Amino acid sequence: MNDNGRQITLFTNLQMWYHKHIIHYMIFFILTGLPLVSPWFHWIAYAVGVPVAAFSGAADITSVGLQICRAAHRITAVLWIVTSIPIVFAMLPKIGRWDMTPRRREGQGWVEYIKEGLIDTKRVYIDWQYPKYMGKYNLLQIAAAWAVIGICLLMLASGAVLWFRLWFSEGLVSVMRVAHLAGFMAMVVFLIFHVYFAIHPVNRAGYEAMFRTGKDSEAHARKKHPGLFL
Amino acid sequence: MKEKQMAVCYDSQACIKCFACVVNCSVENRARLQRERGTGVEKTMMEKLPHLNYLTIEKSESGVFPDVKSVAALKHCQHCEYPKCMDICPAEAISKEDTGAVLINRDKCVGCQSCIDACPYDVPVFDRETGKTYKCIMCNDRLEAGLPTACAEACPSVAIFCGTASDVRAEAKERAERYEKVFGKKFIVYGAEPVNSHVGSLSYMTIAAEENADPYMLPENPKSGVSIARNVIKIGGAAAIGAAAAGIAVHVSHWKKHKEDSVYHHKDEE
Ligand code: SF4
Ligand code: SF4
């Protein structure tokens, strides 16, 4: 490996800490939300309800499990919001320098930027070669990141309306219920791709950076993320 | 074999608007508290909880003076053949009984109010005190015991009648035909035949002049946008998840085929 020994920081300690928490929250959100999406997942509510019903003598185990899932879902949401406070404060002032901001070269039009981004992404994930222009993230990752921020905000807003539904009109609650389900489905599809590409050998360095040191060798970064050095 | 499928019919033409049905519904629900929950007689009479009233009145006025029409319509669960409330309930708390009655099991209900969203007739009501949702149960307990529903029992003009579904349907159609001859206008038996493919036919039918269908809350094509949207999202979501899994499988096989030529294959290269 042609390594000059220098390391660059891909993820800060705060970003790594937040990402680990997000993983736990997502697992909790999914496990506690699924029984409400479909009776296929009532076994989760049942498993949760058994010990509680044993002590409380509740008449219906699944029903008591569903209530616990609903409460746990909300507690997870509150923890998520609390955990997000430091990252929001740390990242918002740097919004102009976010790596997921689409950055065109001088004089480059949007069409050319998108075409170039797609070709670069293909070079990595179809041709298995190093990209020519890609920065920290490729075009699809940038698009997905913004989509996920949008979905998260939608889930928070719709979840809040559903939680405090008695304060809102029935019409708004209905719309939010549908939006929450749509957001959940979109999130699951995103997570499937996200997890797959995160553990793919192509992204080994990024994976190790996120879960270990936060760093990558500059030599590797120059090949895999040339855009960072343009 | 005795027909199990029962039905109730409200004849708006024969109704004298005394609302004895509404009162008796509440009385019966208080008696249910005594029978099923062991609540004392005085306490059941003192209960002011809204869930003791399954029948409510919705009054509407239309027209311009002096041609004003005022209609007091009876609001209750229609006991749909395909209950959308049941399909959406995440707790499986709602069931369609052999009698045709659609019931909410209070012990199972988690109060999520999805059924309120899904009902095209806007029937279920959430009770803040109990944290549960309630609605008319078509006196399923009474029907199973061979008794008429509380509303039918109270009605002094037999404007609400019940029995086996085929008897009620036949009687309702006969009445509608008679009204058409007497009044010279079209009458419908709403729910005797499938209203649409969304809700099917109804176990609680209504006889009304066709011109009064709106004030009597008898929509021609009842639909629940929420219920349809949720189904579309669920099916679309499942398809998207399947497509994502298939896409990944193809990508994995592509990787396996080409990984030897890939610059990412050897850890050293990384
Ligand atoms: S009228 Fe509404 S509450 Fe009654 S069975 Fe039909 S969908 Fe359910
Ligand atoms: S409020 Fe109760 S009956 Fe209605 S959908 Fe939710 S759990 Fe089912």
Side-chain angles (χ1 to χ4, degrees):
Chain A
M1 186 159 63
N2 174 21
D3 196 336
N4 56 15
R6 277 208 300 262
Q7 299 259 297
I8 63 161
T9 301
L10 286 184
F11 304 108
T12 62
N13 283 340
L14 183 65
Q15 286 168 332
M16 290 159 64
W17 171 82
Y18 186 66
H19 185 256
K20 274 178 205 152
H21 278 81
I22 288 281
I23 295 173
H24 299 142
Y25 294 150
M26 285 300 150
I27 292 169
F28 259 84
F29 274 135
I30 292 172
L31 283 179
T32 55
L34 276 177
L36 287 157
V37 172
S38 164
W40 282 10
F41 300 101
H42 271 186
W43 56 270
I44 300 173
Y46 190 86
V48 172
V50 166
V52 179
F55 290 109
S56 68
D60 192 274
I61 294 175
T62 307
S63 169
V64 84
L66 281 172
Q67 294 287 32
I68 294 166
C69 286
R70 291 173 80 206
H73 204 75
R74 291 163 189 189
I75 292 168
T76 309
V78 172
L79 291 176
W80 178 29
I81 292 169
V82 172
T83 315
S84 300
I85 294 171
I87 196 96
V88 167
F89 274 105
M91 299 228 11
L92 266 190
K94 299 181 199 154
I95 192 162
R97 286 179 282 139
W98 284 5
D99 291 302
M100 55 193 193
T101 307
R103 273 195 200 87
R104 291 171 294 154
R105 290 196 305 281
E106 220 170 287
Q108 190 181 33
W110 277 108
V111 175
E112 198 195 333
Y113 168 77
I114 291 171
K115 206 170 138 194
E116 183 182 283
L118 289 174
I119 291 172
D120 229 14
T121 308
K122 173 182 170 287
R123 197 172 286 129
V124 176
Y125 291 101
I126 307 277
D127 305 334
W128 315 113
Q129 301 303 314
Y130 287 123
K132 280 195 179 148
Y133 307 102
M134 189 177 105
K136 188 164 162 186
Y137 301 117
N138 66 51
L139 186 68
L140 295 187
Q141 280 174 305
I142 291 172
W146 286 104
V148 160
I149 290 176
I151 294 171
C152 287
L153 291 175
L154 175 77
M155 295 305 269
L156 276 178
S158 54
V161 170
L162 291 177
W163 187 350
F164 302 104
R165 57 170 68 91
L166 295 179
W167 298 355
F168 300 98
S169 70
E170 270 181 27
L172 180 68
V173 172
S174 301
V175 171
M176 288 301 160
R177 204 187 292 276
V178 172
H180 208 68
L181 180 66
F184 169 71
M185 289 298 189
M187 186 61 106
V188 170
V189 173
F190 163 76
L191 286 177
I192 290 172
F193 283 119
H194 181 61
V195 172
Y196 169 66
F197 285 116
I199 60 177
H200 197 282
V202 167
N203 292 315
R204 185 183 292 127
Y207 178 88
E208 287 178 0
M210 177 51 93
F211 289 99
R212 289 189 187 150
T213 58
K215 298 193 188 313
D216 188 14
S217 75
E218 188 183 314
H220 171 260
R222 280 187 181 279
K223 288 189 276 181
K224 179 78 188 297
H225 306 282
L228 285 176
F229 303 91
L230 288 179
Chain B
M1 202 173 72
K2 199 165 169 258
E3 186 182 340
K4 275 192 182 164
Q5 183 86 33
M6 308 294 280
V8 184
C9 181
Y10 168 63
D11 179 352
S12 67
Q13 190 60 40
C15 176
I16 56 170
K17 311 284 178 186
C18 68
F19 305 125
C21 49
V22 176
V23 174
N24 206 36
C25 175
S26 178
V27 170
E28 182 61 30
N29 277 326
R30 286 164 205 276
R32 278 190 186 106
L33 282 182
Q34 295 166 23
R35 284 201 306 265
E36 292 164 15
R37 310 233 156 197
T39 314
V41 177
E42 287 94 349
K43 186 145 192 303
T44 59
M45 290 301 133
M46 282 151 56
E47 280 276 10
K48 293 191 189 78
L49 296 181
H51 65 251
L52 295 175
N53 300 296
Y54 293 158
L55 284 180
T56 51
I57 304 300
E58 295 242 333
K59 196 157 186 267
S60 65
E61 283 168 4
S62 57
V64 180
F65 183 81
D67 296 318
V68 181
K69 186 157 70 181
S70 166
V71 169
L74 207 55
K75 188 166 180 185
H76 51 77
C77 174
Q78 309 278 10
H79 299 280
C80 308
E81 186 180 357
Y82 312 122
K84 294 299 144 195
C85 54
M86 181 174 88
D87 292 348
I88 209 168
C89 177
E92 291 184 314
I94 304 181
S95 56
K96 174 98 177 149
E97 303 297 308
D98 290 346
T99 52
V102 177
L103 308 182
I104 297 182
N105 180 333
R106 281 229 212 127
D107 290 331
K108 286 188 169 185
C109 174
V110 295
C112 70
Q113 300 167 57
S114 301
C115 50
I116 298 176
D117 280 349
C119 173
Y121 294 100
D122 189 26
V123 170
V125 179
F126 179 70
D127 177 26
R128 290 179 185 220
E129 303 249 352
T130 56
K132 312 256 174 185
T133 298
Y134 66 93
K135 65 166 199 70
C136 160
I137 58 168
M138 210 171 97
C139 285
N140 190 55
D141 47 355
R142 292 178 58 99
L143 290 178
E144 282 181 339
L147 297 168
T149 60
C151 51
E153 184 184 57
C155 183
S157 56
V158 203
I160 301 182
F161 54 97
C162 65
T164 61
S166 49
D167 285 354
V168 169
R169 205 174 291 124
E171 165 78 11
K173 283 186 176 165
E174 202 184 310
R175 286 191 189 199
E177 273 168 30
R178 205 173 328 129
Y179 294 148
E180 284 187 351
K181 278 191 201 129
V182 173
F183 298 107
K185 56 184 172 188
K186 184 146 174 50
F187 275 75
I188 54 169
V189 182
Y190 188 79
E193 305 303 329
V195 180
N196 63 12
S197 58
H198 196 60
V199 297
S201 57
L202 310 174
S203 291
Y204 208 132
M205 305 165 199
T206 302
I207 304 171
E210 193 176 47
E211 63 188 25
N212 284 339
D214 274 354
Y216 276 106
M217 301 176 295
L218 309 172
E220 209 180 324
N221 193 16
K223 280 231 153 72
S224 154
V226 172
S227 156
I228 294 170
R230 281 176 60 115
N231 281 340
V232 168
I233 292 169
K234 279 187 188 176
I235 293 167
I241 290 168
I248 286 173
V250 171
H251 196 253
V252 168
S253 88
H254 178 62
W255 163 253
K256 283 194 166 160
K257 238 186 257 169
H258 300 279
K259 72 178 174 188
E260 295 300 331
D261 319 323
S262 158
V263 297
Y264 303 100
H265 180 45
H266 303 291
K267 189 151 172 39
D268 286 353
E269 282 296 317
E270 276 285 284

